[in-house]
Amino acid sequence: MQQLLVMKFGGTSMGSADRMRTAGQICAEQHKQRPVAIVVSAMSKVTDLLLDTLRKAEAGDSAALEANLSQLEQRHVITCCELLPTDRQPAVLSQLHSIIGDFRRIAQGVQMLGERPPRSVDEAVAVGERLSALLMAAHLDAVGIPAKAINAASVVVTDAVFGNATPLMDPTREKADTVLHPLLEAGTLPVVTGFNGATIDGRPTTLGRGGSDFSASILAAVLDATDLWIWTDVDGIMTADPRLVPGAAVLPEVTYSEAAELAYNGAKVLHPRTLAPLVEKGIPVWSKNSFNLSAPGTRIAPRVDAPQGPRAVTSMANVALVSVAPADPELNAVQVMSRALAALAAANAEVLALTSSSYRQSFCFLIRRDELSRATESLETTFALELAHGYLKPFEVDENVGLLAIVGEGMRGTTGMAGRIFTAISQEDVNIIAIAQGSSELTIAIVVRRDGLEKAVRAVHEVCQLGQ
């Protein structure tokens, strides 16, 4: 398919009838020029509502369950009535009620079981995207653009890791050839649900945090798209969070590696896994703002022409530092670290930073706070014997910390850069707890006390002359 454009619209871009109209205008403009396929997120806050409903169902709270279902239905019914002409509403409302009925069935099953099976959760939380795709396709069709809502479970083939599945690209390409190519060749615009997929034998899965971005890049890769545009509510990738740094500026372009590092360390533009399917073919990505169509956005490409030095600083506050220290000097620290990382992997916890001490054979790692409970549970299970016999000290957990990361391809070989960064932070009377830097020198990750995080970010942004 020549000149195919894949676009992804996030939750805020799908958050109301007005936002869907804006997305429709963007689609209409591009559809006049070339083939277009889009990926949509659930309306803003809907996924949180679905997950909360499942928790209420698990707890047996029937009143809260019904209240949430009513809220879910009311929001989408109102949006449908505001978005579509009167004569088109009955058919769409019927499908809308059917999809919500699917969710009700799953929630009631969870209530009966008193637990949330991962497979059922994956099927349930994809309902938000299914509702958005239904409304968006109906709107496009109503304004004269042939469109069809597609459940990504019929296209994106994944492994069976529920909650954080990985795509199987060859089977997905085959499905895309069967399901999506005929629509595109007929001039129909596919509106595909983000975030979800299915195993080869048809069991529903989801792609984990940032899954809608990931869905879009998977489809762009298997459809051999020319470009991928990701529409959000910010002007592009910035040199820092503008809420923390008033002088933050939009970066006109960044590399795949820089974008992935920024996303991994807290920049809320795209998920780091988003770029992986695009690397082989070098498909460029644009991060654009659907609330500010005049902003050019940020181009993400394999290589860019940028000056030497850091490009941006990002931060994360909701993190926890876990320290592991052998009590017995004869305990093999390398084996302990290996088993600890395997335990974190089993808990689906991402390691944001890792540092170690060669003399004391201790090490610490930083993870997201919402992953802490299952991560520590997995660690305690893995090391139950060593903890019981005192070979390993009890794990120390510090939640009063924050992470900042300085990212830039141009930092490689920049003499004195780390020293200037550390000095700038210390001059703000902020204590550095841990430091991690890979051999590529692409990222310097620094752990500080939570109350000093914002000061440290501003100091680094200033000393590195970012945004200038």
Side-chain angles (χ1 to χ4, degrees):
M1 182 65 63
Q2 294 294 316
Q3 298 299 310
L4 172 66
L5 170 64
V6 174
M7 295 192 289
K8 178 260 178 176
F9 293 93
T12 53
S13 299
M14 291 282 104
S16 67
D18 283 343
R19 299 317 310 162
M20 290 186 186
R21 288 192 190 95
T22 298
Q25 292 169 5
I26 294 168
C27 292
E29 181 180 337
Q30 295 302 319
H31 192 255
K32 292 175 184 176
Q33 304 173 40
R34 52 175 165 167
V36 174
I38 68 172
V39 174
V40 296
S41 295
M43 296 180 74
S44 53
K45 307 299 182 185
V46 163
T47 301
D48 290 341
L49 176 63
L50 296 172
L51 289 169
D52 182 66
T53 305
L54 294 178
R55 286 191 289 268
K56 295 296 194 299
E58 183 181 34
D61 190 342
S62 297
L65 169 61
E66 290 301 324
N68 281 10
L69 286 168
S70 177
Q71 183 181 342
L72 177 69
E73 184 173 35
Q74 183 179 24
R75 182 171 181 189
H76 288 88
V77 167
I78 290 172
T79 302
C80 177
C81 294
E82 291 178 348
L83 184 66
L84 301 178
T86 305
D87 62 329
R88 292 178 178 261
Q89 292 175 17
V92 175
L93 286 171
S94 175
Q95 295 177 69
L96 186 151
H97 290 308
S98 176
I99 294 172
I100 294 175
D102 290 343
F103 179 73
R104 176 185 288 275
R105 171 183 53 80
I106 297 169
Q108 289 175 339
V110 167
Q111 186 176 24
M112 291 178 62
L113 287 172
E115 63 176 325
R116 292 171 287 164
R119 174 180 170 179
S120 296
V121 172
D122 276 10
E123 182 178 2
V125 295
V127 160
E129 280 73 14
R130 291 172 61 194
L131 293 168
S132 286
L134 170 65
L135 292 171
M136 192 64 201
H139 169 63
L140 290 170
D141 211 55
V143 299
I145 302 172
K148 183 176 181 180
I150 302 293
N151 188 338
S154 67
V155 180
V156 178
V157 182
T158 74
D159 62 17
V161 180
F162 299 106
N164 194 30
T166 297
L168 306 178
M169 297 302 285
D170 288 340
T172 299
R173 180 179 290 275
E174 293 173 8
K175 291 271 192 177
D177 286 343
T178 302
V179 177
L180 300 181
H181 267 132
L183 295 174
L184 291 164
E185 289 169 358
T188 299
L189 193 157
V191 182
V192 186
T193 59
F195 183 52
N196 70 313
T199 61
I200 291 177
D201 58 357
R203 290 173 291 163
T205 58
T206 56
L207 300 173
R209 185 184 289 109
S212 291
D213 289 350
F214 198 18
S215 298
S217 70
I218 293 165
L219 293 180
V222 300
L223 292 170
D224 298 317
T226 303
D227 299 279
L228 169 61
W229 294 2
I230 295 180
W231 291 95
T232 67
D233 55 2
V234 294
D235 285 347
I237 298 176
M238 304 191 73
T239 56
D241 186 337
R243 294 170 299 182
L244 304 182
V245 182
V250 175
L251 292 163
E253 56 182 3
V254 298
T255 66
Y256 284 161
S257 296
E258 287 170 338
E261 285 290 328
L262 287 168
Y264 190 75
N265 289 287
K268 297 176 181 178
V269 177
L270 46 74
H271 191 278
R273 289 207 297 177
T274 299
L275 299 165
L278 309 173
V279 171
E280 182 180 348
K281 296 179 181 178
I283 299 171
V285 184
W286 284 87
S287 174
K288 292 175 172 284
N289 187 354
S290 68
F291 292 74
N292 183 12
L293 300 183
S294 63
T298 299
R299 179 176 179 267
I300 306 168
R303 290 170 297 279
V304 302
D305 184 14
Q308 190 175 35
R311 305 295 310 287
V313 56
T314 187
S315 62
M316 297 178 70
N318 295 319
V319 294
L321 189 68
V322 181
S323 299
V324 181
D328 187 334
E330 294 187 5
L331 199 63
N332 188 309
V334 175
Q335 291 181 1
V336 171
M337 186 180 294
S338 173
R339 290 170 61 198
L341 292 174
L344 294 172
N348 269 334
E350 290 182 319
V351 178
L352 302 170
L354 174 69
T355 64
S356 64
S357 165
S358 58
Y359 170 66
R360 294 187 179 276
Q361 300 292 291
S362 63
F363 60 94
C364 63
F365 52 84
L366 195 75
I367 59 176
R368 291 180 176 84
R369 199 180 299 164
D370 59 7
E371 297 174 348
L372 178 62
S373 177
R374 66 175 186 267
T376 52
E377 182 179 346
S378 182
L379 286 166
E380 287 167 356
T381 300
T382 299
F383 293 107
L385 183 63
E386 288 83 356
L387 290 167
H389 290 279
Y391 300 139
L392 199 65
K393 295 179 181 178
F395 304 124
E396 293 183 8
V397 177
D398 188 350
E399 298 184 50
N400 187 29
V401 296
L403 169 72
L404 67 147
I406 304 92
V407 176
E409 298 263 14
M411 290 198 299
R412 292 190 179 102
T414 305
T415 304
M417 178 56 64
R420 292 200 298 274
I421 290 170
F422 300 149
T423 299
I425 294 173
S426 65
Q427 286 176 343
E428 294 296 323
D429 200 26
V430 175
N431 185 43
I432 294 174
I433 299 171
I435 302 165
Q437 182 177 19
S439 59
S440 69
E441 299 183 41
L442 176 64
T443 302
I444 301 175
I446 302 170
V447 181
V448 299
R449 284 277 158 240
R450 173 64 189 88
D451 59 6
L453 180 60
E454 295 179 7
K455 290 192 294 183
V457 169
R458 286 191 288 269
V460 169
H461 194 272
E462 182 177 355
V463 76
C464 294
Q465 298 183 323
L466 302 176
Q468 298 181 17

